[in-house]
Amino acid sequence: MDWLLFLPKLVAEATPEWILDAPLAMAGLPTTDLCRTYVVAAVMVVVAGQVAYSLRTSSVRRRGSCVVLLGESGTGKTTLFQVAVAGGDSSALRKCHTSMEENRGLLPLEWLNAQSTAGPAAPSARRYTFRAALPVLDLPGHPSLRYKLHQAVSSAAAVVFVVDAVAAADAKVLRVTAEHLFTVMKEPAMVANATPLLVFCNKADVPSACSPLALENALADEISTLIDMHTSRLEDTDGEDPDAAAQAAALAALRPPSARFDFAAVPYTVRFTAGAALTGQGVDDLREFVSHAFAQ
Amino acid sequence: MLDNFTIVNRGGLCLYSYQPSASVFHGVGLHPVDALISNVLLEGHASSAASPYIVGSFACKWHLDNNVGLVYVAVYRHAFPIRYVDDLLDSVPAAFESHYSAAASKPKAPSPTNIDDFDETFKDLLLRAETAAEAAKRAGKAGKANKGKASEGKASKAKTSHAKGKAEALPDADEAAGDEASGDGDGGDGDGGDVPDGKPMTPAEKRKAAMARLKARKGGKGGKGSKGGRGKGGKASRGKEASSPAVSTKKRGKVMRTKNKLSKADEEALAASLAMNADGSSASARKQALAREADEEALDIEVVKGGVALGDIADELSSSSEGGPDPLEDGDDAGSSSKPKATTGLFSLFQTLTGNKTLAEEDLEPVMAALAQRLEERNVASEVAHALTESVASNLIGQTLPSMTSVKYAAKQALTEALTRILTPRRKIDVIREAHAAREAGKVYSIVMMGVNGVGKSTSLSKICYWLRQNGFSVLIAACDTFRSGAISQLQTHGKRLGVDVYEQGYGGDPAAVAKAAIGRAVREGIDVVLIDTAGRMVKNSPLMKALAKLVEVNLPDLILFVGEALVGNDGVDQLMGFRQALIDHGTTSRNIDGIVLSKFDSVDDKVGASVSMVHASGGIPIVLVGTGQNYTDIKGFSVKGVVKALMK
């Protein structure tokens, strides 16, 4: 017993007496050395518990709890954000302009557990459904604000990458989009945390919109080129990049065994879905995707 | 006509939009508001809201409300400037904020709901501003007809029309103005010239500046102010009585005038007369009603209509009508000294701790000056440093500091972010990628290097050549420096070492023709990339600049790189802008500089400011490559993070 109290005793002796006497006086205990030692010991136990708890939670769920909306400027992220936060209701949409700052909100989810996902809408399964909400972050797409991407992706539980399926028919837009998507995909946090990625092909209500399958193929082609080109990249003037090794590892994980890049071969889930934020189409897919990601 | 008025929050949600014609922006491409946000507000150019931002045929004026994070934008045809835009941008934010804090329980968190009924308020404000501007314009015309006698008349008219807020008030006002002008001829002609009819559209900034100036020249301006005030008094009395009061008014006017020339000592007398005028204006029954209805706000807006001189005083007029015995002094104190008093010492410390401190211009000024100086020490051009810090400050004023944050820290943080934003390229230029795409399309990729003498064009070119060769491209160098002796042999030496052909036609030829021939040869021989070296030239050398523009025009290169030294301070900006302007002036194509190669970067240590100067001043031309030494391998990408760190440490 004595050896257990050795450290608290030392601390208690080093601490001015009045600090330790105050709680003792309040509890009505005698102000002896032993009692002071107990006070210190109690404090230390609580602190140690806190530290252990925070360590444990951080190691168990390294992924954040946030849904991050990414994509080029003007693809409809903020509109999708509004619809998602409103629970798929697109009646009260506000017009959007280029964002200067991120929008934050809560994405209401019907968090379906194992039973309810197995049997679709069985009345008994309904009982296991409970409601939850996830924070959702809508990051501005303007290229000058791209530096915020790294931190956002690190704290993401799931990433939704919004593509303008109408504009992406243009080769230039497609190239820029692919570059952005590749930047997201090779983030070390994506690979390390296996963060699921949903590519939301927005504006599917417009007749000239590309299908998700066509976009998937086109983007895969572009990304194969990008991976090839990556080796030709010049070293930055910065020199010491702290997470250069992590980036290299992430890139290696993306590099396909065969010549062509394939989204299916990526070490985390990548799904493509068509939708239209303006009409609320596809938002259910998004919610389902997110709830799966969170339940994993 | 106002084409669009938009209130948008920083997240991009449009909270209110007024647009009389639904299709006005069809076919314009990017919506002017989007263009404004992405090209001006996000690029660190937000400091000068005084001049409108022009997109196509539209012009945007804007107001930032940083406390609640809102941006107010007014869009109009830039060929038809609107007089009342500044008034509108002044009056709408206050109205919207009160509306919105009434609607939402938490004023700080813009809730996009419950604000749909703002339309009515806005239209009312718009109508007021329109009629007031209209009235001011007409008054201006009358003033011209009466040879500058109408300065009083205008003030009274503006007041009348504004307080009424209706066009029907105008005939009365006109009458009054007419009377006034004839009655007060003597009083008016001295200062009539100071209030030309263009004044009502003076921007808000100018008014503020004038307010500051006013402090210095209180006496002189007081004269005009008293006149304006007296005008109202005179008109009010004339509304009921015959011409005899007009005479007395005139007399008083003259007395006032002489007194005002004596300046300082007469402030009290002036104040008294102002107060008297206020009484006078409320004498007539109709004016009484007006005064009650509109009181302070009316006076405020009248300021705008009346123009600079009248406006400044009318502010004080309003304070005098509140009963202050020494209105001029009061007005000044309220404007300048009370704020700093509140934010010094213990109170400020307390505010910092609790996180309730709202940033004011006075807090930021010293911090920003220090930051600007630091940037200058790191070789950022001084005008760029100031523009940047001003822009950052304009984004901070009115914001509430988070708890436990000092002003200095917040300012530094904001500047770091602004620098990162500015340096992050909007369009990433990946030379290898583009050359690859061109090769796949079966085209020759051509790169032109330009810059002043001795910045390292040929050296940078040889480095790029080496890099391209390393990545498996076949390269041809075109020696278009047909001007400086030895230039071609220098390139041939590089070419020999790199195993690349140099295409040359000797000295004295036309560079455009040489480049054309080189590209032609590359096409024939299936070479992937042509690197075109040009002669170094000074911006002022117009024949050489014309030749360069011709080279660009004839060959339409895929990539135009400007080579600039990392060592230069202010010069670098002038060089870059000079080249850019020359290509615009002498060329007919829209091709211009795509990117910057920063040479001699190894010699600057932490004085990396030239990069910021060039990118900021040019409106976002990115730095593509950086030269860091004498070897072919000494070429690197540009690290935004590293440069920002070096600037801010």
Side-chain angles (χ1 to χ4, degrees):
Chain A
M1 195 62 191
D2 268 1
W3 62 269
L4 248 179
L5 286 176
F6 176 69
L7 196 60
K9 214 172 191 172
L10 267 184
V11 177
E13 276 163 16
T15 324
E17 286 182 359
W18 59 270
I19 295 179
L20 298 171
D21 287 351
L24 288 174
M26 268 196 286
L29 292 168
T31 53
T32 60
D33 272 351
L34 189 66
C35 289
R36 288 189 196 117
T37 311
Y38 281 135
V39 170
V40 173
V43 170
M44 286 172 102
V45 166
V46 170
V47 169
Q50 287 285 340
V51 169
Y53 179 76
S54 62
L55 278 179
R56 188 177 162 275
T57 44
S58 66
S59 65
V60 163
R61 206 197 310 137
R62 283 167 302 180
R63 242 194 268 158
S65 58
C66 193
V67 181
V68 180
L69 293 179
L70 298 170
E72 286 290 306
S73 206
T75 50
K77 289 180 300 300
T78 307
T79 310
L80 182 63
F81 167 81
Q82 286 186 70
V83 181
V85 168
D89 175 21
S90 62
S91 56
L93 270 188
R94 297 211 154 257
K95 228 176 78 184
C96 295
H97 289 290
T98 311
S99 303
M100 284 184 275
E101 266 171 20
E102 46 276 60
N103 289 304
R104 285 162 201 279
L106 286 175
L107 175 68
L109 289 177
E110 267 177 17
W111 188 17
L112 311 167
N113 59 13
Q115 280 98 327
S116 57
T117 40
S124 61
R126 273 277 156 209
R127 281 191 306 175
Y128 297 99
T129 306
F130 62 94
R131 291 184 178 277
L134 275 186
V136 52
L137 179 74
D138 159 37
L139 212 70
H142 193 277
S144 294
L145 298 170
R146 196 98 358 130
Y147 68 95
K148 293 185 172 181
L149 186 144
H150 176 73
Q151 213 196 340
V153 169
S154 319
S155 69
V159 172
V160 179
F161 188 89
V162 184
V163 179
D164 182 340
V166 180
D170 181 71
K172 241 184 195 157
V173 176
L174 186 75
R175 223 198 291 175
V176 173
T177 309
E179 244 178 71
H180 191 174
L181 181 61
F182 183 55
T183 320
V184 175
M185 290 184 73
K186 72 178 199 300
E187 275 291 326
M190 293 287 289
V191 181
N193 302 347
T195 315
L197 171 72
L198 177 72
V199 181
F200 190 89
C201 307
N202 198 13
K203 311 193 183 176
D205 52 336
V206 180
S208 61
C210 302
S211 73
L213 194 68
L215 272 176
E216 186 174 345
N217 285 328
L219 286 172
D221 282 347
E222 286 295 331
I223 290 179
S224 331
T225 333
L226 278 173
I227 290 180
D228 288 347
M229 297 289 108
H230 201 81
T231 46
S232 68
R233 221 177 50 116
L234 288 168
E235 192 187 328
D236 270 355
T237 45
D238 201 11
E240 15 55 80
D241 197 349
D243 45 27
Q247 275 171 12
L251 196 69
L254 289 184
R255 196 182 295 278
S258 62
R260 192 171 168 283
F261 173 83
D262 189 3
F263 283 107
V266 172
Y268 46 85
T269 322
V270 183
R271 249 185 61 196
F272 280 71
T273 185
L278 266 182
T279 57
Q281 181 198 336
V283 176
D284 287 338
D285 285 354
L286 186 149
R287 285 162 72 193
E288 197 202 310
F289 179 81
V290 168
S291 23
H292 269 261
F294 196 65
Q296 265 171 24
Chain B
M1 194 187 101
L2 190 67
D3 284 307
N4 178 270
F5 193 96
T6 299
I7 304 175
V8 60
N9 75 3
R10 293 185 69 90
L13 287 188
C14 175
L15 299 186
Y16 173 73
S17 173
Y18 166 81
Q19 192 168 323
S21 150
S23 60
V24 67
F25 297 131
H26 279 187
V28 176
L30 204 58
H31 192 288
V33 175
D34 291 337
L36 173 78
I37 292 174
S38 45
N39 297 337
V40 178
L41 301 184
L42 283 174
E43 296 291 329
H45 292 279
S47 58
S48 57
S51 53
Y53 169 66
I54 296 180
V55 216
S57 64
F58 295 99
C60 300
K61 285 205 128 193
W62 69 95
H63 171 84
L64 297 177
D65 189 337
N66 299 315
N67 191 20
V68 284
L70 294 179
V71 185
Y72 300 82
V73 190
V75 186
Y76 53 93
R77 298 267 172 185
H78 115 85
F80 306 102
I82 315 181
R83 292 152 172 276
Y84 53 83
V85 164
D86 291 307
D87 306 356
L88 207 60
L89 284 172
D90 272 359
S91 59
V92 172
F96 186 70
E97 212 174 313
S98 64
H99 188 89
Y100 163 60
S101 51
S105 52
K106 288 182 290 175
K108 283 279 165 64
S111 107
T113 50
N114 300 336
I115 46 172
D116 291 313
D117 51 340
F118 183 67
D119 204 35
E120 224 165 82
T121 323
F122 178 79
K123 280 187 176 144
D124 187 43
L125 283 172
L126 181 64
L127 188 68
R128 277 191 192 196
E130 266 174 4
T131 45
E134 186 67 19
K137 195 168 117 194
R138 281 214 249 161
K141 274 182 193 155
K144 259 185 196 162
N146 290 330
K147 293 263 166 179
K149 287 174 194 167
S151 64
E152 295 95 325
K154 198 199 309 175
S156 63
K157 190 194 280 184
K159 181 177 168 62
T160 319
S161 63
H162 174 257
K164 275 264 175 191
K166 285 169 194 164
E168 63 185 51
L170 289 177
D172 292 69
D174 268 346
E175 243 173 71
D179 279 346
E180 200 66 47
S182 54
D184 281 341
D186 305 15
D189 52 26
D191 284 312
D194 288 358
V195 195
D197 52 348
K199 275 283 160 66
M201 47 182 292
T202 312
E205 279 67 30
K206 277 192 191 159
R207 262 185 286 121
K208 275 173 207 153
M211 192 81 91
R213 249 183 286 128
L214 174 80
K215 281 165 201 163
R217 299 195 286 135
K218 238 181 248 166
K221 290 224 172 178
K224 290 163 214 159
S226 77
K227 229 154 28 78
R230 186 170 49 76
K232 278 164 235 148
K235 178 188 58 181
S237 50
R238 195 167 300 112
K240 289 213 158 168
E241 295 159 51
S243 63
S244 57
V247 179
S248 72
T249 327
K250 191 161 84 183
K251 270 184 193 160
R252 203 173 62 204
K254 275 186 177 168
V255 174
M256 285 295 305
R257 169 161 302 285
T258 43
K259 267 190 178 176
N260 284 326
K261 285 200 176 116
L262 299 171
S263 83
K264 202 70 183 171
D266 322 58
E267 276 170 15
E268 279 191 23
L270 172 60
S273 88
L274 290 178
M276 225 153 69
N277 289 327
D279 289 349
S281 68
S282 56
S284 103
R286 212 186 91 212
K287 293 294 181 293
Q288 249 171 13
L290 285 184
R292 240 188 287 123
E293 166 195 326
D295 64 23
E296 225 192 302
E297 191 202 347
L299 283 165
D300 258 355
I301 298 185
E302 174 206 350
V303 170
V304 179
K305 273 98 237 171
V308 175
L310 290 173
D312 297 337
I313 283 305
D315 268 0
E316 279 139 13
L317 238 181
S318 66
S319 65
S320 85
S321 67
E322 278 159 24
D326 202 349
L328 286 173
E329 292 298 321
D330 278 0
D332 283 354
D333 282 350
S336 56
S337 53
S338 62
K339 265 185 201 163
K341 236 183 254 166
T343 51
T344 46
L346 265 181
F347 185 54
S348 163
L349 183 70
F350 178 71
Q351 281 187 321
T352 309
L353 283 176
T354 52
N356 267 332
K357 192 175 168 65
T358 305
L359 285 173
E361 205 170 348
E362 295 87 2
D363 304 327
L364 284 167
E365 213 167 293
V367 181
M368 283 306 171
L371 284 174
Q373 201 193 339
R374 178 190 299 193
L375 288 181
E376 278 180 59
E377 278 165 14
R378 301 273 196 272
N379 221 355
V380 178
S382 63
E383 53 196 82
V384 172
H386 284 110
L388 247 169
T389 45
E390 268 166 40
S391 159
V392 168
S394 79
N395 269 311
L396 279 174
I397 291 170
Q399 269 186 21
T400 309
L401 272 182
S403 56
M404 303 298 282
T405 316
S406 69
V407 178
K408 204 173 152 193
Y409 178 80
K412 228 177 134 177
Q413 206 63 23
L415 185 62
T416 308
E417 265 177 39
L419 285 172
T420 314
R421 271 206 313 269
I422 290 162
L423 289 174
T424 306
R426 290 219 248 144
R427 186 184 145 233
K428 214 170 166 186
I429 295 178
D430 190 337
V431 178
I432 297 286
R433 176 95 198 276
E434 286 181 23
H436 186 86
R439 181 161 66 183
E440 297 222 315
K443 286 179 192 154
V444 173
Y445 190 71
S446 51
I447 305 175
V448 171
M449 315 279 290
M450 56 176 71
V452 299
N453 312 61
V455 289
K457 281 179 303 300
S458 304
T459 312
S460 303
L461 181 132
S462 60
K463 287 176 185 171
I464 294 174
C465 180
Y466 175 78
W467 177 41
L468 286 165
R469 295 275 298 143
Q470 288 288 304
N471 285 290
F473 291 97
S474 53
V475 182
L476 179 68
I477 297 175
C480 294
D481 186 351
T482 57
F483 189 70
R484 179 171 65 94
S485 54
I488 294 177
S489 50
Q490 184 191 353
L491 277 180
Q492 277 168 335
T493 313
H494 281 308
K496 222 173 267 167
R497 276 203 230 157
L498 294 165
V500 167
D501 275 353
V502 176
Y503 184 86
E504 52 108 357
Q505 292 184 345
Y507 295 101
D510 175 16
V514 178
K516 184 104 195 153
I519 293 174
R521 184 177 144 190
V523 172
R524 278 196 309 277
E525 298 182 3
I527 290 169
D528 302 322
V529 183
V530 176
L531 291 171
I532 302 166
D533 187 34
T534 64
R537 59 201 79 203
M538 288 301 174
V539 173
K540 291 215 175 88
N541 189 338
S542 113
L544 274 182
M545 292 312 271
K546 266 184 201 159
L548 187 65
K550 187 185 166 197
L551 189 150
V552 169
E553 208 176 322
V554 170
N555 296 295
L556 294 176
D558 297 294
L559 185 66
I560 303 177
L561 294 177
F562 174 84
V563 185
E565 278 182 2
L567 295 163
V568 293
N570 292 347
D571 280 359
V573 174
D574 297 342
Q575 289 170 10
L576 176 60
M577 299 309 276
F579 270 82
R580 202 161 81 132
Q581 197 54 45
L583 289 186
I584 294 170
D585 290 347
H586 303 306
T588 49
T589 60
S590 58
R591 290 293 290 130
N592 215 314
I593 297 168
D594 298 303
I596 300 168
V597 177
L598 210 55
S599 62
K600 310 184 187 174
F601 197 76
D602 51 328
S603 58
V604 292
D605 197 23
D606 65 347
K607 295 191 172 23
V608 292
S611 53
V612 179
S613 312
M614 288 186 190
V615 176
H616 183 269
S618 65
I621 297 181
I623 293 171
V624 184
L625 298 165
V626 176
T628 56
Q630 295 303 317
N631 298 319
Y632 287 134
T633 50
D634 288 335
I635 184 167
K636 289 187 170 169
F638 181 70
S639 157
V640 175
K641 226 196 261 171
V643 166
V644 172
K645 215 162 86 187
L647 283 171
M648 297 305 295
K649 80 173 176 214

